[in-house]
Structure formats: structure tokens, C-alpha cells
């Protein structure tokens, strides 16, 4: 599709309530799994990148806005493997009125990976979990029809 969208604020709920640090993935075993930036910023940037790749223009004054609330980014790492769980609530809304167009929780299927590896081995799994939910969200955005020529141009003129 084509159109313009703003990528607004993203929240990492487990960090917002103090369960983990902003850049810490939830996990069940002893120890902490940290990434190089906050989870909310990482997911926000990944979302913007994938929306651009799908044909949308990311701008700050767009008629529509995407926000997200990462509800869970959990590694069940007890035992000899890691079960990854990820869920995010994506919201696509009218940027001026705040009226929601899509407000939905996306939960990816659990993915199991090996436990013993280098920290760099985590990155593909992190990316895959985020991409799985983004693909579901982008499919819903397309099905909503909000980025037809009529809709995207009518939101731009004031």
C-alpha cells in the first residue's frame, strides 16, 4: 500500500511496572538478558522500518498514527532449550481525533531455540518474534483499507 503514517510512542509494560529494566528481556532462569537499547525503542524502530518496507511513508504530521505496548517478551530458559513468547498491542488511530482504527493484541506462536550459544545468537530470535507480530498487524492494516488513495489523501488536507 501507500500512504503516510506517524510512529508514536511505544511502551514496554514489564519495564513500566518495574518488573524488569527498560532494556531487559523477561526470563525464567537465573540471570538477566539485556539488549543494547530499550525494548520499547527497539520494537518502535523495527515497526517503523517494516511499515516503510510495506510502502508507507513515515512522517511526523501524518493523518494516522501507530503506537504499541509490548505486553510480554519472555524467554522461558529453564532447562536445555528456550521457549520464546512475545505479545504486543498495536494501535492504529486517527492522529487528530485519537479514534482507533485497529486496537488489537498480537501474540506470536511460541518459538523454541537452543539454550547454549553466544549472546549474538539471541538477535535472530528477537527479530523473528517482532517480525511475526508485525506481519499480522500489517495484514490487518491492509485489510482495513485505511491506506487507499481516498483515505490517505483526505487526512492530509486541512
Amino acid at each position: 500500500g501507500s500512504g503516510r503514517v506517524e510512529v508514536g510512542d511505544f511502551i514496554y509494560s514489564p519495564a513500566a511496572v518495574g518488573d524488569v529494566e527498560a532494556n531487559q528481556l523477561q526470563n525464567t532462569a537465573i540471570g538477566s538478558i539485556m539488549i543494547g537499547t530499550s525494548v520499547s525503542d527497539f520494537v518502535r524502530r523495527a515497526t517503523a522500518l517494516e511499515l516503510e518496507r510495506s510502502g508507507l511513508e513515515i512522517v511526523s504530521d501524518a493523518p494516522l498514527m501507530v503506537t504499541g505496548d509490548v505486553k510480554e517478551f519472555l524467554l522461558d530458559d529453564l532447562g536445555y532449550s528456550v521457549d520464546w513468547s512475545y505479545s504486543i498491542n498495536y494501535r492504529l488511530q486517527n492522529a487528530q481525533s485519537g479514534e482507533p482504527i485497529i486496537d488489537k493484541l498480537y501474540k506470536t506462536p511460541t518459538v523454541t531455540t537452543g539454550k547454549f550459544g553466544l549472546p549474538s545468537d539471541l538477535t535472530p530470535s528477537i527479530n523473528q518474534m517482532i517480525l511475526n507480530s508485525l506481519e499480522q498487524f500489517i495484514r490487518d492494516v491492509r485489510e482495513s483499507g485505511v491506506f487507499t488513495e481516498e483515505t490517505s489523501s483526505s487526512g492530509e488536507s486541512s
Side-chain angles (χ1 to χ4, degrees), residues 28-30 76-82 112-118 121-122:
T28 56
I30 296 173
D76 182 354
D77 52 346
L78 289 175
Y80 293 100
S81 62
V82 179
T112 301
T113 61
K115 181 174 182 173
F116 303 105
L118 299 172
D121 295 338
L122 295 175

Side-chain angles (χ1 to χ4, degrees), residues 38-123:
S38 71
V39 172
S40 58
D41 188 49
F42 191 90
V43 174
R44 182 184 184 278
R45 287 185 290 133
T47 300
L49 181 62
E50 289 303 319
L51 290 173
E52 271 187 329
R53 286 184 181 167
S54 73
L56 298 175
E57 183 182 359
I58 308 300
V59 294
S60 61
D61 61 346
L64 300 172
M65 179 184 292
V66 173
T67 58
D69 183 355
V70 178
K71 299 291 188 180
E72 177 183 65
F73 212 138
L74 175 68
L75 287 73
D76 182 354
D77 52 346
L78 289 175
Y80 293 100
S81 62
V82 179
D83 292 327
W84 295 75
S85 302
Y86 177 76
S87 63
I88 182 170
N89 193 96
Y90 274 115
R91 182 178 172 99
L92 176 66
Q93 65 193 42
N94 180 299
Q96 288 186 326
S97 70
E99 181 181 340
I101 297 162
I102 296 172
D103 189 351
K104 183 176 175 182
L105 182 68
Y106 295 88
K107 185 169 177 61
T108 62
T110 301
V111 172
T112 301
T113 61
K115 181 174 182 173
F116 303 105
L118 299 172
S120 62
D121 295 338
L122 295 175
T123 303

Side-chain angles (χ1 to χ4, degrees), residues 141-153:
V141 169
R142 284 190 179 127
E143 288 175 7
S144 75
V146 296
F147 288 108
T148 62
E149 284 297 320
E150 255 176 52
T151 306
S152 62
S153 63

